[in-house]
């Protein structure tokens, strides 16, 4: 009887521990994973610096900013994938300043600036238009100033269309990927437009057939009817362990009562 009671006790403890581990690891619903969020916008010099937050990874940041893990590590001198919360990562270095307009006003005279924007096929992926890389026409480029005023430029073949007579200040340019293309860099940029200056911003794209899309990291999928529900399995084990505990307690009580009766005789 004592040996049987020991086996029941050991089995009950094992089932209880297994049920607690499975129930705790699975929980009552699907697990939510932290995802990196874009927290940086281009600075006046065109550079982008991201401040590391909880849940950020080099792979996730590379996907968000349209770059690669190797490029981020090279820009920041990293020899491992370990990130620290609050760490600042250079995503894109400062961009060369565009050449000002050849029109030079008289000394002390101020004129509104001009902003030009276009799209091209970035065949080598360096985000700079070079000889042999064709223009892409028909891309809608939204232009927004600091007061919320908005207009749209349509890219043309052979040149970058311009908006004239713009007051100096910060301007944001944003667009969506044209059909059949994937952006080779950020699709939103902020620039400072001074007096007497013409600034040109070009967005590079690569054909989808030639663009290498990084393989996404595996995610935890919620259980379906086709496979076992671990949460229900853990709860079932807990119920079974409780039932065995009741049997064990009943057996012990019965054994003690039987011993007392035997001694009374």
């Amino acid at each position: 009887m004592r040996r049987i009671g020991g086996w029941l006790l050991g089995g009950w403890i094992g089932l209880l521990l297994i049920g607690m581990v499975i129930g705790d690891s699975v929980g009552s619903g699907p697990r939510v994973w932290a995802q990196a969020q874009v927290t940086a916008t281009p600075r006046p010099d065109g550079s982008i610096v991201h401040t590391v937050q909880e849940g950020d990874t080099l792979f996730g940041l590379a996907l968000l900013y349209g770059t690669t893990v190797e490029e981020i590590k090279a820009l920041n001198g990293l020899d491992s994938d370990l990130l620290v919360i609050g760490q600042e990562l250079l995503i894109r270095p400062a961009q060369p300043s565009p050449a000002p307009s050849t029109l030079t006003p008289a000394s002390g005279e101020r004129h509104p600036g001009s902003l030009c924007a276009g799209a091209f096929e970035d065949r080598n992926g360096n985000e700079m238009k070079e000889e042999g890389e064709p223009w892409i026409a028909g891309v809608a480029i939204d232009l927004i100033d600091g007061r919320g005023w908005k207009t749209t430029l349509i890219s043309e073949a052979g040149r970058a269309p311009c908006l004239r007579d713009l007051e100096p200040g910060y301007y944001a340019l944003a667009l969506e990927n044209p059909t059949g293309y994937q952006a080779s860099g950020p699709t939103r940029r902020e620039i400072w437009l001074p007096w007497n200056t013409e600034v040109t911003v070009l967005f590079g794209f690569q054909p989808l057939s030639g663009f290498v899309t990084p393989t996404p990291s595996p995610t935890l999928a919620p259980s379906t009817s086709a496979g076992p529900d671990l949460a229900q399995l853990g709860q079932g084990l807990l119920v079974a362990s409780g039932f065995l505990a009741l049997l064990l307690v009943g057996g012990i009580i019965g054994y003690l009562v039987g011993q007392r009766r035997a001694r009374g005789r």
Side-chain angles (χ1 to χ4, degrees):
M1 183 65 182
R2 293 181 180 177
R3 184 174 300 175
I4 294 175
W7 290 345
L8 289 175
L9 178 59
W12 169 71
I13 293 175
L15 288 174
L16 179 61
L17 292 176
I18 293 173
M20 291 177 63
V21 170
I22 296 178
D24 180 66
S25 62
V26 177
S28 59
R31 183 173 298 177
V32 178
W33 297 96
Q35 296 181 350
Q37 299 294 326
V38 175
T39 59
T41 55
R43 296 180 175 181
D45 61 359
S47 64
I48 297 178
V49 176
H50 178 90
T51 302
V52 176
Q53 300 181 1
E54 183 178 1
D56 284 357
T57 63
L58 287 178
F59 182 79
L61 294 177
L63 288 180
L64 286 174
Y65 289 101
T67 181
T68 64
V69 172
E70 290 73 19
E71 184 173 355
I72 295 177
K73 294 175 72 171
L75 287 175
N76 295 273
L78 301 178
D79 54 6
S80 72
D81 294 341
L82 180 64
L83 298 180
V84 180
I85 296 177
Q87 177 182 1
E88 291 189 346
L89 293 176
L90 179 62
I91 304 298
R92 187 181 70 184
Q95 304 297 300
S97 301
S101 173
T102 55
L103 177 62
T104 304
S107 178
E109 189 176 349
R110 297 192 304 179
H111 293 280
S114 300
L115 185 56
C116 308
F120 67 99
E121 187 173 317
D122 190 9
R123 292 180 174 177
N124 57 12
N126 65 355
E127 301 182 40
M128 298 179 63
K129 190 178 187 312
E130 299 177 352
E131 185 177 358
E133 294 181 331
W135 295 87
I136 301 176
V139 179
I141 305 173
D142 292 330
L143 175 66
I144 309 169
D145 70 1
R147 297 181 297 274
W149 173 79
K150 177 180 177 181
T151 189
T152 300
L153 283 170
I154 305 298
S155 66
E156 301 178 7
R159 73 184 188 95
C162 302
L163 283 175
R164 310 290 181 183
D165 300 327
L166 296 176
E167 294 295 323
Y170 279 103
Y171 290 85
L173 295 100
L175 73 163
E176 296 183 0
N177 295 335
T179 303
Y181 288 91
Q182 171 71 45
S184 59
T187 56
R188 177 185 172 90
R189 294 178 183 173
E190 295 182 1
I191 59 97
W192 167 257
L193 180 66
W195 291 103
N196 309 323
T197 304
E198 180 179 289
V199 176
T200 300
V201 180
L202 299 180
F203 292 90
F205 295 91
Q206 292 180 319
L208 287 176
S209 58
F211 186 81
V212 180
T213 303
T215 303
S217 57
T219 56
L220 180 65
S223 58
T224 63
S225 57
D229 190 332
L230 293 181
Q232 293 182 359
L233 178 59
Q235 294 174 359
L237 288 175
L238 288 175
V239 173
S241 62
F243 179 72
L244 288 177
L246 291 177
L247 288 178
L248 177 62
V249 172
I252 293 174
I253 293 175
Y255 174 75
L256 294 177
V257 171
Q259 290 292 325
R260 289 185 178 179
R261 290 182 178 179
R263 290 177 184 176
R265 294 177 182 176

